[in-house]
Amino acid sequence: MDKTAAISGVMGYVPDFRLTNAMLEEMVDTNDEWIVSRTGIKERRILKGEQAGTSVMAIEAVNRLLEKTNTATTDVDLVIAATVTPDMRFPSLANIVADKCKMPGIPAFDINAACSGFLYALNVGSQMISTGLYKKVIVVGADKMSSILNYKDRSTCILFGDGAGAVLLEPNEEGCGVLDCFMGGDGSGEKYLNLKAGGSRTPLTHELLDLGAHYVFQDGGPVFKMAVSKMAESAKLIMERNQLSAEDVHWLVPHQANKRIIDATANFAGLPIEKVMVNIEKYGNTTAATIPLCLWEWENKMNPGDNLILVAFGGGFSWGATYLKWAY
Ligand code: UT7
């Protein structure tokens, strides 16, 4: 790589409303003990309000990021948003964010790689900086999962929450930033995790609405197995090819889908849980927002030069890992 792209600022935004396990017990046949022992989740945030789409959270995160990093909106070259819940089918969430955050005229596009979306977007954005094309790139991962969940389906509604996280990427001359990355995919995973109705193959009809085909469908078992193997493999592969031992890694930043998947990944990589960023108990699975929300919450614990391994798995199937050196 010519130059490395480093994260020079991170910001998160989660809505105020907390949907607790006790509240879910009133809605579906479930219980706190099952949810905590099978997933690690205690509560998740839900975005309320008329016409409040994912952009509400993404805009908050990006505006606060610009302010915190003292970045003039006119200096931003590109916005990439990772999401499966854009406000509309089109225009993109990134376009809406760029407009509302007063960055007119710049390129902005979405990446749809479900729970791997932020990692994919980070990798794409960092390449755009490494080639010298751009100097300031905003990558935002945001999802309003509550807008596509069936709150009568206990197998999915307990898992997900709403949130957004954003990072600023800039060139770095000190060897910090994204040092290696890879992405993987397997479209045959479609049958295990999808949202059928409303796409071009299956346009929405009254009948499909009645069947709830416009909600997330997940066959959890096969997804769980694949998530464990791909997250673990990905972490190990990127560590090995960068000659990083478990001692060399300061932080594992895993996608937050299930505490058991996180534990298995950490175990396989030989990393103690103290080195693993975990906040699934507070937010559940916020899809494209999990990784930046972790970076945001751990920002003050990280030091310049810390080695981070980011790893994700999600719908598609999609997966990947990134090795980055923290820059500040
Ligand atoms: O981020 C994108 C990728 N997604 C993931 O990585 C998620 C991967 N999958 C998972 O995390 C897990 O498969 C789940 C958390 C979704 C499910 O956990 P599980 O241990 O695989 O449970 P299961 O689906 O095998 O269900 C076990 C039992 C079943 O009852 P029976 O058939 O044994 O009587 C379910 O009906 O638990 C029952 N069950 C529940 N019970 C109480 C399923 N959901 C619930 C619930 N509350 N919410």
Side-chain angles (χ1 to χ4, degrees), residues 30 34 38 115 154 218 220 223-224 255 257-258 260-261 285:
T30 191
W34 191 95
R38 297 293 181 120
C115 295
R154 69 177 183 174
Q218 177 170 250
V223 180
F224 184 91
H255 167 57
N258 187 317
R260 290 185 291 144
I261 298 174
N285 181 350

Side-chain angles (χ1 to χ4, degrees), residues 193-208:
L193 182 50
N194 61 50
L195 196 163
K196 288 190 189 70
S200 54
R201 191 197 303 170
T202 317
L204 200 52
T205 60
H206 287 294
E207 289 73 22
L208 287 168

Side-chain angles (χ1 to χ4, degrees), residues 24 28-35 37-41 114-116 153-160 193 218-228 231 255-261 280 285-287 290 313-315 317-318:
L24 283 165
V28 287
D29 179 15
T30 191
N31 57 77
D32 178 60
E33 197 280 325
W34 191 95
I35 300 175
S37 63
R38 297 293 181 120
T39 72
I41 303 167
C115 295
S116 311
D153 175 7
R154 69 177 183 174
S155 71
T156 52
C157 74
I158 56 125
L159 297 171
F160 297 93
L193 182 50
Q218 177 170 250
D219 183 357
V223 180
F224 184 91
K225 280 195 197 115
M226 195 67 174
V228 168
M231 297 259 294
H255 167 57
Q256 314 276 306
N258 187 317
K259 179 68 166 47
R260 290 185 291 144
I261 298 174
I280 190 171
N285 181 350
T286 54
T287 302
T290 60
F313 176 87
F317 296 131
S318 60

